[in-house]
């Protein structure tokens, strides 16, 4: 087995939504889980054979994700293994090398190579699952504004690192790809369709943006063989952020009426021909939240706010940071407790 490639050795984590831990894998002692420090391992010296499989976490079109335990330390991780080596999986691996150790992105500790040279990515395991899972536990209740402002701030910090430091567009931002842990951290995951916008200084690549989850695509991404340069690709992420914030607020995907069944054609019609989604007039919401969503969901990508502008928006910049963090952490931990109670009841 060749030596693994450590991200910090390279130029610069797919932590997919299906990485979300299953109920049986949840940590029962949540108070201890929140205080548990990250494992200290010499990742450069490790091999793929140093890890034992604990269970399956998910499977997607590009690869399979398993929960693994390091045999020596007992530390647990998520391991995403591509089915085979192809340009998409190689692009994802290169993105993971670039993003490094941002506190707002799911961390990739190392990239191994499998028997057929396919990448196997050792990822941070986020023990509370995704914010999509949090919404499903809350029923039709969305997040309160303080918690939502904290989520938006963390997403923007992650996108700023991707767009400005790494020259990468995420292209699949949604609640299921925002992963949480018992400490109240929320990080962007799943880089399976992300695109590198610049490979050398001064480079300005045009990349395919006709990828990602349909309900979160901006109108211009429905064009046949849609491609965009760095500005347009980053603007696509801003639209997805707006839809994500609106869904987390309302408790449901806001593109179509709640009772309406969705299809690709219906979503395309609604997004391209209808009015942009917005906070309902009857909803109890602050002017700053309404303004933030509107700034994200401009149908013309040139009129959309940039990540830098949104970081200065009152909804984010004017939040009470301590209160917002506490609100978000309490919701995440409450979801973990409820899931744990449900698991115990099902096993009884």
């Amino acid at each position: 087995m060749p030596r693994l490639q450590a991200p910090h050795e390279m130029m610069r984590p797919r932590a997919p939504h299906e990485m979300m831990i299953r109920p049986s894998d949840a940590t029962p002692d949540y108070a201890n889980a929140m205080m548990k420090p990250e494992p200290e391992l010499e990742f450069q010296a490790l091999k793929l054979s140093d890890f034992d499989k604990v269970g399956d976490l998910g499977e997607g079109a590009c690869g399979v994700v398993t929960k693994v335990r390091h045999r020596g330390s007992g530390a647990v991780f998520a391991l995403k293994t591509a089915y085979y080596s192809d340009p998409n999986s190689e692009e994802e691996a290169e993105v993971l090398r670039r993003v490094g150790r941002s506190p707002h992105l799911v961390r990739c500790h190392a990239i191994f190579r499998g028997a057929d040279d396919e990448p196997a990515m050792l990822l941070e395991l986020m023990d509370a699952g995704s914010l999509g899972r949090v919404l499903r536990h809350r029923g039709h209740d969305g997040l309160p504004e303080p918690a939502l402002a904290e989520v938006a701030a963390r997403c923007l910090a992650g996108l700023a690192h991707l767009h400005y430091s790494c020259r990468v567009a995420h292209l699949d931002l949604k609640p299921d790809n925002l992963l949480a842990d018992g400490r109240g951290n929320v990080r962007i995951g799943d880089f399976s369709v992300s695109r590198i916008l610049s490979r050398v200084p001064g480079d300005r690549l045009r990349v395919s943006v006709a990828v990602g989850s349909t309900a979160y695509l901006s109108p211009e991404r429905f064009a046949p063989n849609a491609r965009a340069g760095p500005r347009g690709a980053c603007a696509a992420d801003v639209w997805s952020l707006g839809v994500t914030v609106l869904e987390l607020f309302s408790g449901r995907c806001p593109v179509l009426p709640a009772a309406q069944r969705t299809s690709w054609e219906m979503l395309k019609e609604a997004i391209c021909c209808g009015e942009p989604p917005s906070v309902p007039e009857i909803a109890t919401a602050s002017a700053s939240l309404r303004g933030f969503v509107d700034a994200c969901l401009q149908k013309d990508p040139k009129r959309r706010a940039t990540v830098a502008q949104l970081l200065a928006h009152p909804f984010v910049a004017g939040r009470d940071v301590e209160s917002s963090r506490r609100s978000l952490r309490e919701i995440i931990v409450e979801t973990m407790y409820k899931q744990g109670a449900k698991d115990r009841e099902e096993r009884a």
Side-chain angles (χ1 to χ4, degrees):
M1 176 67 64
R3 188 177 71 83
L4 63 87
Q5 298 169 298
H8 66 269
E9 293 183 297
M10 308 297 176
M11 300 169 52
R12 283 266 196 208
R14 168 170 167 172
H17 65 273
E18 59 259 34
M19 266 183 55
M20 183 175 68
I21 59 172
R22 298 179 306 174
S24 59
D25 291 326
T27 305
D29 188 348
Y30 300 114
N32 289 340
M34 285 188 287
M35 301 302 294
K36 185 178 179 181
E38 280 202 328
E40 294 294 334
L41 296 175
E42 290 293 334
F43 292 101
Q44 288 177 264
L46 296 178
K47 305 181 296 295
L48 193 55
S49 58
D50 293 329
F51 296 87
D52 294 322
K53 178 179 176 180
V54 176
D56 295 319
L57 293 175
E59 186 173 6
C62 302
V64 61
V65 184
T66 56
K67 181 178 179 180
V68 296
R69 177 177 288 112
H70 178 245
R71 197 173 299 114
S73 67
V76 291
F77 303 90
L79 181 72
K80 180 194 171 183
T81 306
Y83 291 126
Y84 44 81
S85 183
D86 67 8
N88 286 335
S89 63
E90 296 301 331
E91 179 93 345
E92 180 183 358
E94 181 61 27
V95 167
L96 292 172
R97 295 184 188 108
R98 284 181 173 231
V99 302
R101 296 174 66 86
S102 167
H104 305 291
L105 307 174
V106 173
R107 183 171 301 170
C108 177
H109 294 288
I111 300 174
F112 302 91
R113 289 286 169 173
D116 296 320
D117 202 40
E118 71 278 11
M121 307 156 200
L122 188 70
L123 303 167
E124 173 183 19
L125 182 66
M126 301 295 284
D127 59 356
S130 73
L131 292 190
R133 180 192 188 192
V134 170
L135 278 188
R136 289 187 284 274
H137 271 276
R138 291 176 66 81
H140 297 295
D141 294 332
L143 302 186
E145 279 200 34
L148 187 58
E150 186 63 25
V151 171
R154 297 187 187 203
C155 286
L156 286 167
L159 289 176
H161 182 68
L162 284 173
H163 292 177
Y164 305 132
S165 299
C166 305
R167 304 299 291 163
V168 166
H170 186 273
L171 299 181
D172 202 17
L173 197 69
K174 57 183 179 179
D176 278 344
N177 287 340
L178 300 179
L179 305 183
D181 67 20
R183 300 181 183 89
N185 296 311
V186 170
R187 299 188 176 114
I188 299 173
D190 192 348
F191 296 88
S192 58
V193 301
S194 298
R195 295 290 182 263
I196 295 170
L197 305 173
S198 175
R199 294 186 181 275
V200 296
D203 214 2
R204 294 177 61 82
L205 301 177
R206 289 186 63 80
V207 299
S208 171
V209 293
V211 292
S213 303
T214 307
Y216 304 87
L217 298 185
S218 51
E220 69 276 8
R221 296 171 74 180
F222 286 90
N225 302 314
R227 300 181 71 84
R231 178 175 176 176
C234 294
D237 278 343
V238 169
W239 176 281
S240 299
L241 173 64
V243 177
T244 295
V245 167
L246 193 48
E247 179 173 349
L248 291 172
F249 173 73
S250 64
R252 66 171 190 86
C253 183
V255 176
L256 290 173
Q260 194 167 345
R261 297 184 63 181
T262 61
S263 67
W264 187 89
E265 291 80 8
M266 292 170 64
L267 288 168
K268 177 183 177 181
E269 178 74 13
I271 294 168
C272 295
C273 303
E275 290 297 314
S278 60
V279 178
E281 291 185 7
I282 61 172
T284 302
S286 68
S288 62
L289 171 58
R290 295 178 185 275
F292 183 90
V293 170
D294 289 344
C296 294
L297 297 181
Q298 294 292 317
K299 296 185 77 170
D300 182 350
K302 294 180 180 178
R303 297 185 59 190
R304 249 169 255 156
T306 65
V307 167
Q309 290 168 337
L310 291 170
L311 281 167
H313 194 280
F315 181 64
V316 171
R319 76 192 191 283
D320 182 326
V321 175
E322 183 177 349
S323 175
S324 292
R325 289 179 177 174
R326 181 172 60 250
S327 176
L328 178 59
R329 183 172 59 249
E330 287 173 352
I331 288 170
I332 292 170
V333 173
E334 178 186 26
T335 301
M336 295 178 75
Y337 270 110
K338 287 181 178 178
Q339 183 64 59
K342 181 179 178 181
D343 297 342
R344 290 189 293 273
E345 181 178 319
E346 290 177 351
R347 288 195 296 264

